[in-house]
Amino acid sequence: MRISPDIALIGLGANLGDGAATIRAALAELEALPACQLLLASGLYRSAPVDAQGPDYWNAVAALRCGLAPGQLLEHLQRIELEHGRLRPTSVRNAPRTLDLDLLLFGSRRVQTAQLTLPHPRMHLRAFVLAPLAEIWPDWTLPDGEPVHEAVKRLQAAGQILQRAGPLAVAPR
């Protein structure tokens, strides 16, 4: 399935504090972004960190119809992260975080800048991204042509186990 040019997919993650509540609040903030409309949100998932240490992560994926440019959307995502206490230490890769909002895709656009790479360069390696994505878009295929549900099976067979923790109701504003 091809993705419409104005659809952005956002990965949400948190493993410090009340990660589930933070994800719910961030989803409400995504819904309120200018020139954007929340179309779909996956359920809430829980997974062990990948290539990192720390507590388990809470994860979800959201699809937005968005009239912003990719760089503008990224700026909004980073502002939301900061408002939730996100720190970006330069010395620790994949450090635990209060909130992580990853711009995974924006239509079929390909972007390569110092701030942003689209499609996200590691999403095909992360079950915590692909399982929620498969929930909201089960017939979607990754940019390399692999069906998302097959990619989830591949990653789970390789040891990336996650658990669907339930629906993701948006936090009241």
Side-chain angles (χ1 to χ4, degrees):
M1 170 185 237
R2 292 189 55 93
I3 188 169
S4 173
D6 62 344
I7 303 295
L9 297 179
I10 312 296
L12 299 91
N15 74 335
L16 293 178
D18 187 344
T22 300
I23 298 260
R24 287 183 181 95
L27 188 63
E29 292 172 57
L30 291 176
E31 189 172 33
L33 286 177
C36 295
Q37 173 191 11
L38 179 66
L39 298 176
L40 298 165
S42 72
L44 193 59
Y45 288 77
R46 191 159 190 163
S47 65
V50 175
D51 299 331
Q53 300 295 315
D56 283 356
Y57 271 88
W58 293 95
N59 299 100
V61 169
L64 303 175
R65 182 175 312 281
C66 193
L68 301 172
Q72 293 172 309
L73 179 54
L74 179 65
E75 289 175 11
H76 283 285
L77 298 180
Q78 291 177 341
R79 176 190 50 78
I80 293 169
E81 289 176 337
L82 286 173
E83 289 171 355
H84 285 275
R86 167 78 187 263
L87 301 175
R88 292 186 182 276
T90 56
S91 61
V92 181
R93 181 173 162 86
N94 297 329
R97 52 203 63 170
T98 55
L99 181 61
D100 188 25
L101 298 174
D102 286 331
L103 181 50
L104 304 171
L105 290 171
F106 203 131
S108 60
R109 298 175 201 195
R110 297 202 173 274
V111 176
Q112 181 73 47
T113 68
Q115 295 78 29
L116 179 61
T117 301
L118 290 175
H120 190 285
R122 291 177 304 283
M123 78 175 163
H124 68 287
L125 302 173
R126 308 290 198 233
F128 62 80
V129 169
L130 297 183
L133 181 54
E135 179 183 329
I136 63 173
W137 234 313
D139 56 347
W140 186 71
T141 57
L142 279 80
D144 68 1
E146 183 180 24
V148 69
H149 62 277
E150 292 298 326
V152 172
K153 289 179 192 174
R154 171 179 50 83
L155 293 170
Q156 288 178 329
Q160 289 189 40
I161 306 302
L162 67 161
Q163 171 186 4
R164 189 174 190 283
L168 180 58
V170 176
R173 292 185 204 179

